[in-house]
Amino acid sequence: MGENNTSVYEFEPTNIDGEVTPLQKYEGKVLLIVNTASECGFTPQYEGLQNIYEKYNDQGFEVLGFPANNFGGQEPGSDEEIKQFCNVNYDVGFPLFSKISVKGEDQHPLFKYLTTASNPDFTGEIKWNFEKFLIGKDGELVHRFRSDTKPESDEILKAIETSLDS
């Protein structure tokens, strides 16, 4: 565990409109937290993320996108530019947050927790854009997926459905 953080509900990141957003507001929901980027080979995954968000949202599922410029300079824009890009290109309806750092010395505390929390898959640094962290209804990390696991893959869909049913 990271610095005594026991769930994602303890974090209060800023959303893409500049408002502090306690993750406590998502308590009891299943969350897929993703570090995103606008100029990445995986950027088309925004479409898949939006599709699964629409598919499961009314069952208590949220996708939370955290733009980050840690990998290959693939998220150079401002929050406003990122928001516009996501709306225009992918009609993103799920919550987006203010651009943060997901690794290194300035790593956001939420991602420090996510990369160190125990889970059945793996821990350690994020390797690239669009890694995915599945959070159960109790706010704890259930599964972690690397960038190349597509949002609509059987692996992720099964994990979401299992978490929603639990």
Side-chain angles (χ1 to χ4, degrees):
M1 283 301 210
E3 298 156 13
N4 302 327
N5 293 108
T6 54
S7 84
V8 297
Y9 301 143
E10 295 174 36
F11 300 97
E12 299 189 350
T14 302
N15 74 10
I16 202 142
D17 296 316
E19 297 155 356
V20 172
T21 306
L23 296 186
Q24 186 86 42
K25 76 181 249 181
Y26 297 110
E27 194 165 357
K29 293 190 169 193
V30 175
L31 308 175
L32 191 68
I33 296 177
V34 188
N35 59 298
T36 62
S38 300
E39 298 178 10
C40 178
F42 293 112
T43 300
Q45 287 191 14
Y46 265 126
E47 187 176 341
L49 292 169
Q50 178 63 22
N51 288 343
I52 62 172
Y53 170 73
E54 289 174 9
K55 181 173 181 178
Y56 296 112
N57 183 241
D58 61 356
Q59 298 174 48
F61 173 73
E62 295 279 351
V63 174
L64 306 182
F66 285 85
N69 196 33
N70 294 94
F71 306 100
Q74 294 179 346
E75 189 63 285
S78 66
D79 283 357
E80 190 53 47
E81 288 166 333
I82 293 165
K83 183 179 173 181
Q84 188 175 1
F85 172 86
C86 290
N87 288 344
V88 170
N89 294 286
Y90 296 102
D91 201 17
V92 167
F94 56 82
L96 290 168
F97 288 80
S98 182
K99 188 160 78 172
I100 55 160
S101 176
V102 297
K103 67 180 270 194
E105 287 186 11
D106 59 347
Q107 182 183 43
H108 190 282
L110 170 62
F111 280 84
K112 189 174 218 164
Y113 165 74
L114 291 172
T115 54
T116 56
S118 58
N119 71 86
D121 304 306
F122 52 90
T123 57
E125 273 196 356
I126 291 178
K127 291 197 166 150
W128 203 250
N129 304 307
F130 289 90
E131 284 209 10
K132 300 157 199 78
F133 299 85
L134 186 66
I135 310 297
K137 292 177 184 173
D138 57 0
E140 292 187 26
L141 181 60
V142 184
H143 280 295
R144 185 172 168 185
F145 306 94
R146 289 283 188 215
S147 311
D148 57 0
T149 308
K150 292 192 164 106
E152 296 170 285
S153 67
D154 287 346
E155 195 181 349
I156 290 184
L157 296 181
K158 273 194 196 103
I160 292 170
E161 289 170 7
T162 301
S163 295
L164 286 170
D165 289 343
S166 66

